[in-house]
């Protein structure tokens, strides 16, 4: 068994924890971290299925360290050989916040040296270690003198699903898009509209959720090359994921944008992931959006009005969203924006608000729950 860690964007720890629990594991939540215990199957499952986590890591050890000697000895005492093979390549990344050991480059060098010493001893290697094998990305993270040592199992971040051929100027991460959909509890039973679709990420993630398609199905992971992962396990669990997908489930998703170029990009991305026939795309101004009767979910990441000259246009868009809510009280509206005056412009008080970051921009996710019949 390993102690595993799903790293989480700030404010989304509870969503990531819920996903880990749905895979069958008990969780402990810390700031930006969801910890759980599991075997090799857990490593593979978490990488294939977690939609909202950034990465899956193995926690090798955590301890207090206020001197370089202490960091070296405690790192050396950890069971690195349980994961890293004799030819393993193990670059070390680091970060340090509010710690006595503040030189990141020194901390990285010391951790590297300690692991080298440990592996040389265990594998009885004389001279240099031959790092020609699989990659094991080690990270030493120091916070308030606590060292947290991990090995990344994912490789590229989990937001890299493999379908995004192109994107706009300020693309939303796939993991954030999935989290926004998960926060609505939408599962494909009602129409879904994204009137500001950009490169199509929200609509694509919504379709993947509704059809229960594993987000990591079409990509590879660093741990696929590791000796600790039983041969064929990734293939087996990919096949199980394929069998669990609801490819025939009918869903009603409309993704529109005023920019024809972005709609073409969104279409191409949807085709790449196999959803080209599932999602309807349309070049359309938000003011021309017609909403069907009955329950509808409108989810979007509208322009924030941060460029000169955009403000009045953005305010008009937000007022129109309010008119849609007034026309149909069964509309559920979910919008992520940094615009502080959003609620007064919409003219309705949000049922719920959540602080989130889109990249480095602090935003609020405004949630208006439609009336149930």
């Amino acid at each position: 068994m390993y102690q595993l860690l799903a790293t989480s964007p700030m404010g989304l720890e509870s969503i990531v924890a819920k996903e880990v629990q749905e895979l069958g594991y008990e969780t402990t939540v810390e700031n930006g971290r969801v910890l759980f215990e599991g075997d090799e199957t857990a490593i593979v499952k978490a990488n294939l299925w977690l939609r909202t986590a950034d990465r899956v890591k193995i926690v090798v050890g955590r301890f207090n360290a206020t001197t370089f000697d202490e960091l070296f000895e405690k790192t050396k005492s950890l069971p690195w050989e349980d994961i890293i093979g004799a030819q393993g390549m193990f670059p070390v990344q680091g970060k340090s916040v509010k710690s006595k050991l503040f030189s990141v480059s020194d901390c990285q060098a010391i951790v590297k040296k300690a692991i080298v010493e440990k592996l040389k001893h265990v594998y009885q290697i004389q001279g240099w270690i031959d790092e020609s094998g699989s990659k094991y990305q080690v990270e030493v993270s120091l916070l308030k003198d606590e060292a947290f040592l991990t090995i990344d199992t994912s490789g590229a971040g989990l937001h890299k699903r493999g379908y995004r051929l192109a994107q706009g100027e300020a693309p939303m991460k796939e993991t954030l898009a999935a989290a926004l959909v998960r926060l609505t509890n939408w599962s494909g039973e009602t129409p879904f509209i994204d009137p500001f679709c950009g490169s199509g990420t929200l609509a694509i993630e919504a379709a993947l959720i509704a059809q229960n398609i594993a987000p990591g199905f079409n990509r590879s992971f660093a741990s696929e090359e590791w000796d600790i992962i039983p041969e064929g396990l990734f293939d087996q669990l990919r096949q199980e994921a394929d069998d669990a997908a609801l490819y025939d489930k009918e869903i009603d998703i409309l993704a529109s944008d005023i920019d024809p170029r972005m709609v073409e990009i969104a279409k191409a991305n949807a085709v790449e992931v196999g959803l080209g026939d599932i999602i309807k795309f349309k070049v359309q101004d938000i003011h021309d959006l017609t909403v069907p009767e009955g329950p509808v979910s409108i989810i979007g990441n509208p322009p924030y009005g941060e460029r000169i000259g955009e403000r009045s246009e953005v305010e008009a868009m937000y007022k129109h969203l309010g008119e849609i809510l007034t026309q149909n009280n069964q509309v559920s509206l979910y919008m992520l924006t940094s615009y502080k005056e959003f609620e007064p412009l919409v003219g309705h008080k949000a049922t719920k608000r959540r602080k989130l970051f889109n990249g480095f921009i602090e935003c609020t996710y405004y949630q208006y729950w439609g009336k149930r019949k």
Side-chain angles (χ1 to χ4, degrees):
M1 294 288 275
Y2 304 97
Q3 183 170 42
L4 301 173
L5 158 68
T7 61
S8 166
M10 223 158 61
L12 293 176
E13 291 89 349
S14 62
I15 307 295
V16 174
K18 190 178 175 190
E19 286 198 293
V20 174
Q21 289 158 17
E22 285 167 359
L23 292 177
Y25 305 100
E26 290 182 13
T27 58
T28 304
V29 177
E30 297 179 2
N31 200 7
R33 297 168 176 163
V34 175
L35 297 156
F36 60 107
E37 283 195 354
D39 58 8
E40 294 79 10
T41 299
I43 293 171
V44 179
K45 265 191 184 175
N47 276 300
L48 285 176
W49 280 103
L50 293 183
R51 299 180 191 278
T52 58
D54 286 330
R55 292 178 179 279
V56 178
K57 300 178 178 183
I58 297 173
V59 181
V60 186
R62 61 192 303 182
F63 50 78
N64 269 46
T66 54
T67 67
F68 288 130
D69 280 347
E70 199 175 6
L71 179 63
F72 179 85
E73 293 301 336
K74 288 182 176 177
T75 299
K76 190 181 170 186
S77 70
L78 295 172
W80 296 98
E81 70 280 5
D82 288 356
I83 303 159
I84 302 174
Q87 275 83 45
M89 173 171 54
F90 49 99
V92 179
Q93 288 178 328
K95 56 185 176 187
S96 178
V97 179
K98 296 178 183 172
S99 297
K100 290 185 178 69
L101 302 179
F102 57 84
S103 168
V104 172
S105 57
D106 285 336
C107 291
Q108 288 173 175
I110 282 156
V111 166
K112 177 77 179 183
K113 189 180 175 188
I115 301 171
V116 166
E117 292 296 316
K118 180 61 176 281
L119 295 181
K120 279 174 73 171
H121 173 72
V122 171
Y123 295 124
Q124 299 183 322
I125 297 168
Q126 302 293 321
W128 294 98
I129 278 191
D130 170 25
E131 292 189 48
S132 59
S134 306
K135 184 179 179 182
Y136 302 81
Q137 181 64 62
V138 175
E139 183 179 78
V140 51
S141 173
L142 286 143
L143 175 63
K144 295 179 182 172
D145 297 327
E146 185 190 48
F148 199 81
L149 288 130
T150 58
I151 299 176
D152 174 38
T153 73
S154 302
L158 293 182
H159 70 282
K160 296 199 173 171
R161 315 280 208 227
Y163 63 73
R164 193 181 260 176
L165 300 172
Q167 58 196 37
E169 283 176 25
M172 176 186 286
K173 266 189 175 180
E174 293 85 337
T175 41
L176 176 59
L180 297 186
V181 178
R182 289 295 302 253
L183 282 165
T184 71
N185 291 320
W186 184 85
S187 59
E189 313 312 317
T190 58
F192 176 107
I193 299 171
D194 177 3
F196 311 101
C197 75
S199 55
T201 312
L202 264 170
I204 290 169
E205 291 298 323
L208 293 175
I209 287 169
Q211 293 196 335
N212 197 39
I213 297 168
F217 187 74
N218 278 322
R219 55 158 286 175
S220 58
F221 302 94
S223 47
E224 288 192 59
E225 308 295 323
W226 295 1
D227 294 339
I228 63 165
I229 304 291
E231 198 174 335
L233 184 58
F234 264 97
D235 290 339
Q236 178 198 325
L237 291 178
R238 276 200 182 93
Q239 185 58 54
E240 286 179 18
D242 197 24
D243 295 341
L246 308 171
Y247 296 121
D248 296 330
K249 179 176 178 176
E250 289 194 14
I251 46 178
D252 181 359
I253 297 181
L254 171 67
S256 63
D257 200 286
I258 197 169
D259 184 346
R261 188 181 64 90
M262 290 314 302
V263 173
E264 286 307 311
I265 286 172
K267 270 187 198 170
N269 289 340
V271 167
E272 180 66 19
V273 77
L275 297 168
D277 297 331
I278 307 291
I279 303 168
K280 295 189 285 289
F281 292 96
K282 194 174 183 182
V283 178
Q284 179 175 258
D285 188 310
I286 178 69
H287 298 283
D288 299 325
L289 175 67
T290 51
V291 176
E293 288 181 14
V296 182
S297 291
I298 302 176
I299 306 173
N301 177 36
Y304 300 165
E306 294 186 338
R307 291 184 191 157
I308 295 166
E310 265 187 7
R311 196 179 177 105
S312 59
E313 283 175 42
V314 165
E315 289 184 352
M317 285 179 199
Y318 294 172
K319 282 177 185 168
H320 184 66
L321 291 173
E323 288 163 17
I324 291 169
L325 284 177
T326 304
Q327 287 159 13
N328 178 355
N329 66 5
Q330 287 186 276
V331 165
S332 291
L333 179 75
Y334 304 87
M335 290 285 144
L336 181 73
T337 176
S338 65
Y339 204 84
K340 301 292 183 204
E341 298 301 308
F342 182 80
E343 274 175 302
L345 288 165
V346 171
H348 298 260
K349 204 171 174 60
T351 316
K352 209 169 179 183
R353 298 167 210 77
R354 197 181 190 109
K355 287 267 177 273
L356 294 172
F357 281 84
N358 185 7
F360 295 106
I361 302 170
E362 186 179 324
C363 299
T364 302
Y365 192 40
Y366 295 95
Q367 303 168 56
Y368 296 86
W369 300 346
K371 283 210 169 145
R372 302 259 172 102
K373 275 191 178 175

